[in-house]
Amino acid sequence: MAEAVARALREERHLVVEAGTGTGKTLGYLVPALLSGRRILVSTATRALQEQIARHDLPRLAHALDRPVDAALLKGRSNYVCDLRLMRLKAQPALAGGIEEAALHRVERWLGVTETGDRAECHDLPEAWPGWQEIVSTSETCIGSACEAHARCFVMKARARAEAAQIVIVNHHLFFADLALRTSAAGVLAGAAILAPYEAVIFDEAHTVEDLATHFFGHRLSSRSLEGLARDAQRFSERCPGGGRGLARAGERLLGRAQRFFEALPVGTGRWRLEPEALAAAGQDHEAVAEALSVLADLCAPVAEMGNEEAAALGRRALLAREALALFTLQPDPGLVYWAERRPRSLSLHASPIDVAEILRERLLADVPCVFTSATLSVAGRLDYFLGRIGLDPGSEVETRILDSPFDFSAQAALYLPEDLPPPGSGSHARAVAEETRELAELTLGRAFVLCTSLRNMAAIHRHLASASLPWPLYVQGEAPKAVLLDRFRAVPGILVATQSFWEGVDVPGDALSLVVIDKLPFQAPDDPVVAARIEYLGARGVSPFSAYQLPRAALALKQGFGRLIRSRRDRGIVTVCDARLRTRSYGRYFLETLPPCPSFHSRDALRTWWQGGGASTRLGADRCSSMPHNGS
Ligand code: SF4
């Protein structure tokens, strides 16, 4: 891998490498990146991997190479305290209403010792503390060099360190936010960018690139962002030069009108498609919000002209929000799908690109050489699906590699496909999954993840397990922050029931995890607005959406879930998929060909023999089934 990465960087070509778990892929790209002498961004999907590279892998590498490593860690601005917002909040205690004081004091104490202002270092701050949003900046609220706290600003210092470093460890959120900004029409004109110029990008956890690009090349407008704008206008009115009574009223008016507008939208749950007629129903309220935004922008303009950067930033935000509002009302772009999402404290409108391949080709791949790597990029032994989704032509412009994991899956893992399960979606399926879990957990003494495809399944399976009086602790996603929950599980392994966020990026090596139960094949919901639009898009072009999109995407997701089990050469365990379609549908083979080869079983007795016999020695005892490439026999 290191040679392929070195060649790609030298020849300025794109490279796609699937590197199975345990191949040492991080060092496989860090070493050639360092030795290239070029300025390179390494981008990860998760902050956890970002931290691991910066705090663990790079220091190890510096030690091994016996030379300093010129690298910096950079996260999005919402990870760093904004000194200015914190100062203002403290100066106007009335506006800090609702913010838990004890947590605020904890932050202040920590600010006295931190050098980075990076939230990851403030260990005793609750993960979901809502006050954090009030003390961080956004690109719209930051007033840059006009800020009185600029010289000691954590965001600016982190960016300065990153600008000077040869290797910068960023995350996909930050990378695509920057790319979308710098390549947008307005960004090109204004020379806007977050990241200083770079010569190549290495994407780790690259299987998430399509989703992140979809998010950042789209548009959003949320009730929360309008409320934030209204609140900031009210705050600013108290210190606005020349008095800000008009601004205070404009903020209040915007708040009320935005609330009415979002309440007038058709009610939905989760994510739903926004048809133009849906917004027509909120027509008058929409115009009222647009007018309130114009008034706010007009009030800010004369103050901004006097050189007040804060007023200029407020005015820009109001105009951008008005533009976004018009975009959702007119829905002018057939390349976008318009949809809405309801979350506990916010309703947001989105316009997402249906196909990001062309966008990535024009705005990324044509510009810099890129290395894409992950443990899960190939389906049924081929990389074509991934290449196509991100805009790479399999024929010419890219070198590809599939590097197998050094782990012996045929000895370390078993796939169990229980027979006689009710079909997924039937009323009794959740109970049957819970029952399978309980039976299998007796073999593995708990130490199990139950990975669910929906919150509803998670709740139902958890409920059935909770009523089963298990002899092991039972954990469920949401009862504590993810990192805390994982620490608890590692300390006292039991059964952890979870959904999407535990399917990937979760590492529990060793004995703590010996069983992964997957409730059903992880097809995306076909009525999700973005998925539905992509299905229509492919169908209209004569391409089968099922085989070109839904099936490979689900196969990759299953491979991710399977990948939680074996994290080191010493790990051993069982994956069970409680979905009969793996055996009964013709596409089941496609899923099985995507998973690492290991023995598969249909009978629990045969599985028990394998487990109790230590795996490798009884491999020939695996069930015989002619359609199973996973059959170890
Ligand atoms: S420069 Fe921007 S981020 Fe930094 S303290 Fe000032 S407003 Fe906050």
Side-chain angles (χ1 to χ4, degrees):
M1 176 169 177
E3 282 170 6
V5 174
R7 190 166 48 249
L9 296 175
R10 196 172 54 243
E11 295 175 5
E12 304 201 338
R13 298 186 68 208
H14 304 307
L15 170 70
V16 173
V17 189
E18 179 180 79
T21 317
T23 45
K25 77 174 149 48
T26 314
L27 292 180
Y29 59 72
L30 282 180
V31 172
L34 268 174
L35 297 181
S36 74
R38 295 178 177 220
R39 183 172 150 78
I40 292 175
L41 299 187
V42 172
S43 183
T44 68
T46 57
R47 281 186 298 230
L49 182 56
Q50 227 187 331
E51 294 275 346
Q52 187 202 304
I53 293 172
R55 304 193 198 287
H56 179 70
D57 296 324
L58 283 171
R60 229 165 33 119
L61 193 53
H63 184 255
L65 295 175
D66 195 22
R67 54 168 265 194
V69 165
D70 182 11
L73 172 71
L74 183 64
K75 300 179 183 174
R77 55 166 73 240
S78 65
N79 290 278
Y80 304 94
V81 172
C82 167
D83 247 338
L84 187 69
R85 283 179 73 85
L86 180 64
M87 275 184 335
R88 298 223 160 122
L89 199 69
K90 287 194 304 188
Q92 292 170 278
L95 293 171
I99 295 184
E100 190 202 331
E101 235 176 86
L104 200 56
H105 287 150
R106 235 174 285 157
V107 170
E108 287 182 78
R109 275 200 304 277
W110 162 68
L111 284 176
V113 292
T114 178
E115 286 184 8
T116 65
D118 179 349
R119 183 189 173 144
E121 292 177 5
C122 189
H123 297 296
D124 51 355
L125 193 65
E127 196 171 273
W129 181 52
W132 185 259
Q133 294 310 320
E134 301 299 325
I135 56 169
V136 295
S137 63
T138 64
S139 54
E140 292 109 14
T141 58
C142 175
I143 54 175
S145 55
C147 171
E148 60 197 89
H150 189 266
R152 61 173 191 276
C153 169
F154 293 117
V155 178
M156 298 303 154
K157 281 195 223 164
R159 288 187 179 181
R161 278 194 298 272
E163 199 171 329
Q166 184 215 338
I167 307 286
V168 187
I169 316 298
V170 299
N171 55 54
H172 297 350
H173 283 79
L174 178 58
F175 178 82
F176 283 107
D178 171 74
L179 187 67
L181 178 67
R182 72 164 69 222
T183 57
S184 68
V188 170
L189 280 179
I194 304 167
L195 301 168
Y198 44 86
E199 295 167 273
V201 194
I202 297 171
F203 294 96
D204 199 342
E205 301 176 320
H207 56 278
T208 59
V209 160
E210 184 189 3
D211 287 349
L212 269 301
T214 301
H215 180 79
F216 284 99
F217 287 117
H219 308 269
R220 286 165 299 285
L221 180 70
S222 69
S223 57
R224 209 168 173 171
S225 66
L226 288 185
E227 282 160 20
L229 174 59
R231 266 202 316 275
D232 285 345
Q234 288 172 311
R235 282 175 193 167
F236 181 59
S237 71
E238 298 197 4
R239 55 176 181 277
C240 175
R245 285 169 66 90
L247 268 175
R249 272 199 304 276
E252 202 178 312
R253 195 180 309 126
L254 175 60
L255 201 58
R257 291 183 178 185
Q259 265 166 9
R260 273 199 298 283
F261 167 68
F262 281 101
E263 278 164 12
L265 289 175
V267 181
T269 50
R271 293 153 57 113
W272 71 95
R273 200 146 173 178
L274 264 186
E275 303 298 347
E277 313 81 67
L279 280 166
Q284 276 188 351
D285 295 301
H286 149 257
E287 282 160 24
V289 176
E291 198 226 332
L293 288 165
S294 299
V295 169
L296 181 54
D298 289 347
L299 285 169
C300 289
V303 191
E305 273 166 24
M306 292 188 302
N308 187 304
E309 267 304 320
E310 208 177 346
L314 267 178
R316 273 196 303 273
R317 283 167 72 189
L319 291 176
L320 282 173
R322 201 183 59 185
E323 266 176 40
L325 197 60
L327 176 92
F328 287 103
T329 325
L330 301 174
Q331 303 203 359
D333 188 342
L336 297 174
V337 51
Y338 299 85
W339 54 283
E341 181 175 34
R342 188 177 296 282
R343 294 196 168 198
R345 271 184 266 169
S346 170
L347 197 153
S348 49
L349 310 182
H350 300 257
S352 305
I354 297 170
D355 180 16
V356 294
E358 192 56 41
I359 299 174
L360 287 173
R361 242 194 309 272
E362 282 174 12
R363 292 164 76 165
L364 172 67
L365 301 168
D367 208 31
V368 283
C370 296
V371 174
F372 298 90
T373 186
S374 166
T376 46
L377 295 178
S378 73
V379 271
R382 301 180 61 91
L383 289 163
D384 307 31
Y385 168 74
F386 176 75
L387 297 177
R389 297 306 300 174
I390 61 160
L392 279 167
D393 173 6
S396 57
E397 56 186 332
V398 58
E399 181 180 344
T400 58
R401 285 271 187 282
I402 297 180
L403 305 175
D404 289 337
S405 166
F407 303 157
D408 183 1
F409 283 94
S410 64
Q412 292 180 255
L415 179 66
Y416 173 51
L417 305 175
E419 289 179 320
D420 303 327
L421 278 177
S426 71
S428 53
H429 183 254
R431 180 186 293 278
V433 174
E435 185 53 27
E436 277 297 341
T437 303
R438 196 187 59 73
E439 297 263 3
L440 293 172
E442 281 177 12
L443 273 186
T444 59
L445 305 177
R447 302 185 293 167
F449 272 8
V450 183
L451 299 179
C452 305
T453 45
S454 69
L455 285 169
R456 180 143 43 103
N457 284 9
M458 180 184 86
I461 293 167
H462 175 252
R463 200 171 51 247
H464 289 301
L465 285 170
S467 64
S469 305
L470 301 169
W472 318 283
L474 179 63
Y475 307 101
V476 64
Q477 179 186 323
E479 69 184 20
K482 183 175 172 182
V484 175
L485 204 53
L486 281 170
D487 283 346
R488 286 182 194 162
F489 181 87
R490 288 187 190 105
V492 189
I495 297 180
L496 190 154
V497 190
T499 177
Q500 189 60 41
S501 69
F502 284 73
W503 281 72
E504 51 187 85
V506 170
D507 202 12
V508 184
D511 287 345
L513 183 63
S514 299
L515 171 65
V516 172
V517 178
I518 290 172
D519 68 336
K520 68 186 188 72
L521 293 176
F523 285 109
Q524 291 180 294
D527 56 353
D528 176 90
V530 178
V531 177
R534 287 183 171 157
I535 290 172
E536 286 164 22
Y537 176 84
L538 291 169
R541 280 155 186 76
V543 177
S544 158
F546 185 71
S547 47
Y549 174 55
Q550 293 164 278
L551 185 56
R553 179 154 179 136
L556 275 181
L558 184 68
K559 192 171 172 179
Q560 278 287 344
F562 187 104
R564 295 315 97 218
L565 184 69
I566 304 296
R567 311 301 297 172
S568 80
R569 285 177 200 272
R570 290 184 306 281
D571 291 359
R572 192 168 160 264
I574 300 163
V575 173
T576 183
V577 184
C578 300
D579 192 329
R581 291 176 295 178
L582 259 185
R583 291 182 294 104
T584 58
R585 298 293 175 91
S586 56
Y587 56 72
R589 168 177 284 276
Y590 188 79
F591 280 98
L592 295 170
E593 284 173 357
T594 298
L595 299 179
C598 65
S600 64
F601 299 89
H602 299 169
S603 107
R604 211 180 291 134
D605 287 343
L607 178 71
R608 184 178 294 112
T609 307
W610 178 86
W611 177 252
Q612 290 169 345
S617 58
T618 59
R619 217 177 319 152
L620 292 177
D623 296 350
R624 287 178 185 280
C625 174
S626 58
S627 67
M628 293 286 172
H630 278 250
N631 193 333
S633 58

